[in-house]
Amino acid sequence: VRLRGLVRSRGLGDVYTRQTLNIAAADDLEMRFPGTELILIESGGDNLASTFSLDLVDWWAFVIDVAGGDDIPRKRGPGVIQADLLIINKIDLAPHVGVNLKAMYEEAMLVREGRPVILANARSGEGMSTLANELGAALPVSYSYVPRPSVLPVLPARLDR
């Protein structure tokens, strides 16, 4: 498995520019590695209302951080509402930052109207097999992730940025 970074676009104010750069980088990867079946594009940042084009992706996972507050689902940002999968990460921090994790999860399920929500702790691996299976289900070929004790899953190095 080859992992390769795409475009570091922090600091670019124009969303169109970032998306154009990522599309170009993804096209380049497909040409350099024929038969590529999956390209992961991370769009960093913490603006829940930032513009995102669904034309850029075939499938969209949106990650929120428990430490950001249990009101994130209530704000109904585009990522929370529109993403194919919502990941509530760093769940181990909930008691330390005063977040009612059960209420946060229930509210996320409510505002997403049944679309999937995963509770995760990327550092410990909790929820990662569920994430891998959700991602696998979105691929055009059948895929199922079954963790092996001696092998870590091949996932983004830091899901919690």
Side-chain angles (χ1 to χ4, degrees):
V1 173
R2 291 179 183 231
L3 298 178
R4 180 177 172 85
L6 290 180
V7 176
R8 184 174 192 95
S9 59
R10 292 178 196 251
L12 292 177
D14 181 30
V15 171
Y16 175 78
T17 302
R18 288 192 304 263
Q19 292 174 354
T20 302
L21 290 171
N22 278 336
I23 290 171
D27 288 345
D28 178 60
L29 283 172
E30 285 183 305
M31 288 186 338
R32 290 178 65 196
F33 302 102
T36 297
E37 295 177 10
L38 175 67
I39 296 175
L40 300 174
I41 298 175
E42 186 235 358
S43 177
D46 58 3
N47 184 349
L48 293 177
S50 64
T51 305
F52 181 83
S53 171
L54 293 173
D55 294 333
L56 180 62
V57 298
D58 296 315
W59 190 80
W60 181 14
F62 190 73
V63 182
I64 61 177
D65 181 335
V66 165
D70 53 12
D71 61 340
I72 294 174
R74 194 172 320 127
K75 292 178 181 178
R76 297 174 178 257
V80 170
I81 301 298
Q82 297 173 8
D84 296 294
L85 174 65
L86 176 64
I87 303 160
I88 301 174
N89 193 28
K90 299 184 182 178
I91 59 174
D92 57 312
L93 298 181
H96 306 291
V97 294
V99 167
N100 180 333
L101 187 58
K102 182 177 184 285
M104 184 179 190
Y105 177 77
E106 289 172 353
E107 189 157 18
M109 291 296 292
L110 180 70
V111 302
R112 288 183 50 76
E113 299 176 343
R115 287 187 304 282
V117 177
I118 293 176
L119 296 175
N121 178 349
R123 179 167 281 208
S124 73
E126 185 176 353
M128 295 299 101
S129 61
T130 304
L131 169 60
N133 286 328
E134 286 287 338
L135 180 57
L139 295 174
V141 294
S142 178
Y143 170 85
S144 179
Y145 172 73
V146 179
R148 294 184 306 206
S150 62
V151 178
L152 293 174
V154 177
L155 294 171
R158 287 201 45 194
L159 188 62
D160 59 344
R161 286 191 217 174

